[in-house]
């Protein structure tokens, strides 16, 4: 019993211990790493990825997977920039309408994603991957391959204005994280996500409308993808087809490394926060100590394999899918 408990505790706290160990390692390797300015840089880089990771967390908790985030982010970013500029290009005008409109677009994208999955009975990885390509195509069609610049000082203040040396976008991301936690742990739909991920047949037997839960999960994920798109545009001041580039790898890596099981039923948004910080600390730390980008990608790949290996009870699995 004590061995079981120790294994459970190790699995629960391992991501946090890894994060602490990484911070200590990079701080010893280069004292400049341990500075408020550098931590602010890490937090700023992590903000869009955190929103995407929160969205995919809800999907993975249900035992599904979503590979559409790059397309969803591209569409949301381009729609936001286009609408924002057409309504005046300044938050103190009617352009503010572009903010909630973008969240609606993200939720609608997730709705279509979920319906393709459950109504056409297409596996979630294939349905979402296809929708991701659709999103990329739509954003390319809307922009013609061009970049759309968003230069409104009030909107860009999410990046430029700082409180305690951290950009405003970090605090807004923290509020979004709290909202996600509330959905996960204090609402019926959040509990239903865990029920579906813990055992779909049992959820069906208890009278739960599993298809409806899955569609709602994809809708919520889409709204958080839209938030990620808004933060990404605020960070770089540009909306384009490539706005969501590499976010699929980063977000899924963050969720897995943070301790959310790929087969569903366990984990949550706080795990994803730790995972996002681990990924961004590695990326930042390796730059600080002068290692090339391809080494960063290799380390992250190895970290994912280790995280899945350590969190998987292979005795309970008949085979690896």
């Amino acid at each position: 019993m004590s061995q079981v408990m120790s294994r459970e505790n190790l699995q629960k706290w391992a991501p946090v211990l890894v994060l602490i160990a990484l911070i200590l390692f990079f701080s010893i390797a280069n004292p400049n790493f341990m500075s408020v300015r550098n931590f602010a840089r890490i937090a700023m880089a992590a903000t869009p990825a955190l929103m995407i990771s929160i969205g995919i967390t809800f999907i993975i908790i249900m035992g599904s997977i979503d590979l559409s985030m790059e397309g969803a982010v591209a569409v949301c970013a381009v729609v936001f920039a286009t609408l924002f500029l057409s309504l005046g290009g300044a938050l103190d005008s009617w352009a503010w309408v572009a903010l909630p409109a973008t969240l609606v677009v993200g939720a609608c994208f997730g709705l279509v994603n979920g319906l393709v999955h459950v109504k056409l009975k297409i596996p979630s990885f294939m349905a979402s991957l296809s929708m991701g390509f659709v999103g990329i195509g739509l954003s390319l069609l809307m922009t013609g391959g061009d970049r759309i610049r968003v230069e409104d000082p009030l909107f860009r203040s999410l990046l430029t204005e700082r409180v305690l040396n951290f950009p405003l976008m970090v605090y807004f991301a923290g509020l979004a994280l709290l909202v996600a936690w509330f959905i996960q742990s204090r609402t019926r739909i959040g509990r239903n996500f865990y029920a579906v991920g813990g055992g779909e047949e049992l959820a069906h037997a208890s009278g739960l409308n599993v298809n409806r839960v899955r569609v709602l999960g994809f809708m919520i994920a889409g709204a958080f993808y839209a938030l990620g798109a808004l933060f990404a545009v605020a960070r770089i001041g540009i909306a384009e087809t490539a706005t969501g580039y590499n976010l699929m790898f980063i977000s899924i890596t963050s969720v897995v490394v943070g301790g959310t099981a790929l087969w569903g039923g366990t984990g949550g948004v706080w795990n994803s926060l730790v995972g996002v910080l681990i990924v961004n600390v590695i990326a930042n730390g390796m730059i600080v100590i002068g290692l090339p980008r391809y080494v960063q990608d290799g380390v992250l790949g190895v970290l994912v394999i280790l995280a899945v290996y350590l969190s998987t009870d292979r005795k309970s699995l008949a085979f690896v899918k």
Side-chain angles (χ1 to χ4, degrees):
M1 184 66 180
S2 61
Q3 292 180 348
V4 173
M5 291 300 296
S6 63
R7 177 180 174 83
E8 291 178 351
N9 286 330
L10 178 62
Q11 291 178 348
K12 179 179 180 181
W13 293 103
V16 176
L17 296 175
V18 169
L19 177 60
I20 294 173
L22 286 170
I23 292 174
L24 292 175
F25 170 76
F26 288 122
S27 298
I28 293 172
N30 189 331
N32 292 328
F33 179 86
M34 186 70 79
S35 66
V36 174
R37 182 177 180 180
N38 192 51
F39 285 157
R41 190 179 296 115
I42 292 173
M44 181 178 63
T47 297
L50 176 59
M51 297 299 99
I52 311 302
S53 297
I54 288 173
I56 188 64
T57 297
F58 290 123
I59 305 300
I60 292 179
I61 285 175
M62 293 190 297
S64 298
I65 193 67
D66 188 356
L67 305 178
S68 70
M69 60 279 292
E70 292 185 1
V73 168
V75 166
C76 290
V78 170
V79 167
F80 164 73
T82 302
L83 187 58
F84 187 82
L85 294 180
S86 67
L87 292 175
L91 277 183
D92 56 4
S93 66
W94 280 103
W96 67 268
V97 174
L99 296 173
T102 302
L103 298 183
V104 173
V105 169
C108 289
F109 190 94
L111 172 63
V112 175
N113 202 359
L115 289 175
V116 170
H117 168 43
V118 302
K119 294 299 184 182
L120 301 182
K121 300 186 184 302
I122 299 175
S124 58
F125 81 92
M126 184 55 67
S128 60
L129 182 63
S130 301
M131 282 299 298
F133 287 126
V134 170
I136 294 293
L138 283 174
S139 64
L140 186 60
L141 182 65
M142 294 173 66
T143 62
D146 296 330
R147 294 180 169 185
I148 305 176
R149 295 190 176 276
V150 179
E151 300 176 340
D152 175 40
L154 188 55
F155 177 69
R156 295 300 307 282
S157 67
L158 286 170
L159 173 70
T160 57
E161 292 294 324
R162 300 192 172 226
V163 177
L164 300 177
N165 293 313
F166 285 83
L168 285 178
M169 66 189 333
V170 174
Y171 297 97
F172 280 104
L175 289 175
L177 176 64
L178 291 177
V179 171
W181 169 80
F182 181 83
I183 294 172
Q184 169 193 293
S185 59
R186 295 292 186 269
T187 66
R188 178 178 295 179
I189 186 62
R191 292 189 290 270
N192 288 344
F193 290 156
Y194 285 98
V196 172
E200 186 171 336
E201 293 183 0
L202 183 60
H204 269 300
S206 64
L208 188 64
N209 188 331
V210 173
N211 285 346
R212 182 182 178 186
V213 171
R214 290 195 184 280
V215 172
L216 285 174
F218 278 95
M219 285 184 65
I220 293 173
F224 277 98
Y225 297 163
L227 272 177
L230 292 175
F231 287 134
V233 174
R235 183 184 170 205
I236 63 177
I238 294 173
E240 59 179 333
T241 301
T243 299
Y245 174 73
N246 205 36
L247 282 174
M248 181 169 67
F249 173 74
I250 292 174
S251 59
I252 295 178
T253 297
S254 299
V255 173
V256 173
V257 169
T260 297
L262 282 173
W263 48 91
T266 61
V269 296
W270 294 110
N271 298 79
S272 297
L273 171 63
V274 174
V276 168
L277 291 176
I278 288 174
V279 170
N280 281 273
V281 163
I282 290 175
N284 178 275
M286 289 191 172
I287 291 174
V288 169
I289 64 178
L291 292 179
R293 177 61 185 268
Y294 66 85
V295 176
Q296 301 173 33
D297 293 339
V299 169
L300 289 177
V302 172
L303 193 60
V304 171
I305 294 173
L306 287 175
V308 174
Y309 175 80
L310 293 174
S311 63
T312 303
D313 184 4
R314 276 155 296 283
K315 293 181 181 180
S316 65
L317 297 178
F319 61 95
V320 178
K321 293 183 180 181

